[in-house]
Amino acid sequence: MFKTSICDILGIKYPILQGGMAWAATAELAAAVSNAGGLGIIGAGNAPGDYVRTEIRKAKKMTDKPFGVNVMLLSPFVNDVMDVVYEERVPIITTGAGNPGKYLERFKSIGTKIIPVVSAVALARKMEKEGVDAVIAEGTESGGHVGELTTMALVPQVVDAVNIPVIAAGGIADGRGLISALAFGAQGVQMGTIFVCAAECTAHTNFKKAIIKAGDRATIVTGRVTGHPVRILKNKLARKFEKLEEANCGAEEYEKLGVGRLRAAVVDGDIDYGSVMAGQISGLVKEIKPAKDIIEDTIKEANEVLKAVRALSREE
Ligand SMILES: Cc1cc2nc3c(=O)[nH]c(=O)nc-3n(C[C@H](O)[C@H](O)[C@H](O)COP(=O)(O)O)c2cc1C
């Protein structure tokens, strides 16, 4: 079953979180994951509060299990979104791109669990001091915004550095990944790329097919010049980004090219000039299947892997 402390803290059956992905993680996906025993998370991205409220209310109708909202701290609507999440009493918030410190007191007072994504030990330590409930240590393998450290190097170092539960993310899409994360001392995993290919994910079929077609070297990190690097599938947009980088353009021009590109890929299916955020694990994602199967197959495989590893350590 792999019952860990994170299952108790979040009130979930399996220690599996579905990444709160801008545009891709709508109420449909979050509810399906929560109904299957994981933690579904709605991605607020750069969307305004009204959009997020609609998704939260839809999810409430589709599941009676806990679910969360991922708040992008760089969003122009961040305060608006935080107000909505507070008013709707969503029990769990994950945050991307920064330090949610200034929101903690308000949410603590109503028992909301706050779980920031971190890509380095220093931020994990700082977050623990500020009183967050857990951290998601996300390696550079992951789709979307990334740091520099790999999951394999980052997770054990964060586990050693803090006393709160750590959730591993980046490059995990099956039972082997789950067992590795638990072996590193993580209390659970967050998976993103594979959940884009869940049947319930409302992302455009072109986006899903692009992930299924992708091999191990299909992604590239763009946007280092802006200070907010992003991992996407290599396509015509990625090439344009590369050209801007080669030309040593400033962050402003670079950012201008990125505006609206994720929505174009996820909602409109523009996989040539859209930002097809996906992780290095895309090569392992081979089919579209229900969220329940993604979770149950992961748990089943994790049990098999555990048995196989145990067999290796038997005495002669
Ligand atoms: C399409 C896409 C959009 C994402 N958007 C966000 C986001 O808005 N906020 C966030 O914290 N993480 C975001 N992520 C990261 C995921 O939540 C998750 O941590 C990551 O995908 C895990 O690594 P994996 O892709 O290797 O499974 C996104 C990932 C993808 C693939």
Side-chain angles (χ1 to χ4, degrees):
M1 283 292 287
F2 303 107
K3 202 122 196 100
T4 70
S5 64
I6 210 71
C7 297
D8 298 331
I9 293 169
L10 304 181
I12 53 178
K13 184 172 174 193
Y14 301 119
I16 297 177
L17 282 67
Q18 158 254 307
M21 302 173 283
W23 297 113
T26 58
E28 288 82 356
L29 178 61
V33 170
S34 289
N35 283 334
L39 183 77
I41 303 176
I42 294 167
N46 283 328
D50 283 350
Y51 167 90
V52 181
R53 196 188 301 277
T54 306
E55 291 305 309
I56 292 170
R57 292 195 174 166
K58 260 201 278 175
K60 281 180 181 169
K61 287 204 181 110
M62 290 187 271
T63 185
D64 55 3
K65 302 272 191 313
F67 65 87
V69 170
N70 173 264
V71 183
M72 274 289 280
L73 298 168
L74 289 173
S75 161
F77 300 106
V78 58
N79 291 328
D80 188 20
V81 170
M82 285 293 191
D83 284 346
V84 168
V85 176
Y86 180 86
E87 286 157 19
E88 294 292 329
R89 296 294 192 267
V90 177
I92 299 135
I93 299 177
T94 63
T95 60
N99 177 352
K102 67 173 180 178
Y103 302 101
L104 283 182
E105 208 181 304
R106 183 181 186 205
F107 283 100
K108 284 253 152 201
S109 68
I110 56 163
T112 312
K113 308 286 183 230
I114 310 247
I115 311 181
V117 174
V118 301
S119 57
V121 165
L123 184 58
R125 279 211 179 100
K126 193 167 164 34
M127 292 294 87
E128 180 181 32
K129 262 198 202 134
E130 298 210 12
V132 302
D133 298 278
V135 288
I136 298 166
E138 188 191 67
T140 192
E141 297 91 323
S142 79
H145 288 269
V146 291
E148 290 294 339
L149 293 176
T150 61
T151 303
M152 194 149 186
L154 176 69
V155 173
Q157 294 189 69
V158 173
V159 166
D160 284 354
V162 298
N163 291 308
I164 49 175
V166 176
I167 294 149
I172 301 169
D174 63 14
R176 292 172 293 182
L178 173 58
I179 290 297
S180 312
L182 297 177
F184 282 136
Q187 298 294 304
V189 295
Q190 171 163 289
M191 308 195 291
T193 299
I194 193 168
F195 278 120
V196 174
C197 291
E200 298 85 351
C201 177
T202 55
H204 199 284
T205 344
N206 293 353
F207 198 112
K208 296 182 179 190
K209 282 187 182 153
I211 292 177
I212 288 168
K213 215 176 108 197
D216 56 339
R217 298 176 66 225
T219 70
I220 185 170
V221 175
T222 61
R224 286 207 164 89
V225 59
T226 64
H228 302 291
V230 177
R231 185 177 297 284
I232 63 173
L233 290 186
K234 289 175 190 163
N235 62 0
K236 290 180 177 149
L237 176 71
R239 188 68 203 117
K240 272 189 163 188
F241 277 130
E242 273 182 319
K243 282 200 176 134
L244 284 184
E245 222 155 314
E246 281 156 19
N248 262 330
C249 83
E252 206 176 303
E253 201 177 333
Y254 208 97
E255 270 161 6
K256 219 164 72 192
L257 180 61
V259 173
R261 294 295 85 206
L262 177 61
R263 190 179 190 284
V266 180
V267 180
D268 306 329
D270 181 356
I271 52 160
D272 288 330
Y273 291 100
S275 176
V276 188
M277 290 185 185
Q280 289 180 333
I281 206 67
S282 295
L284 217 66
V285 180
K286 298 274 188 269
E287 58 181 332
I288 294 170
K289 57 184 181 183
K292 188 170 186 292
D293 291 3
I294 294 176
I295 292 178
E296 287 177 0
D297 290 352
T298 300
I299 295 293
K300 186 166 167 266
E301 190 186 27
N303 275 304
E304 287 161 7
V305 171
L306 198 57
K307 262 190 224 148
V309 174
R310 275 208 190 109
L312 291 176
S313 71
R314 71 176 182 271
E315 289 191 12
E316 285 301 318

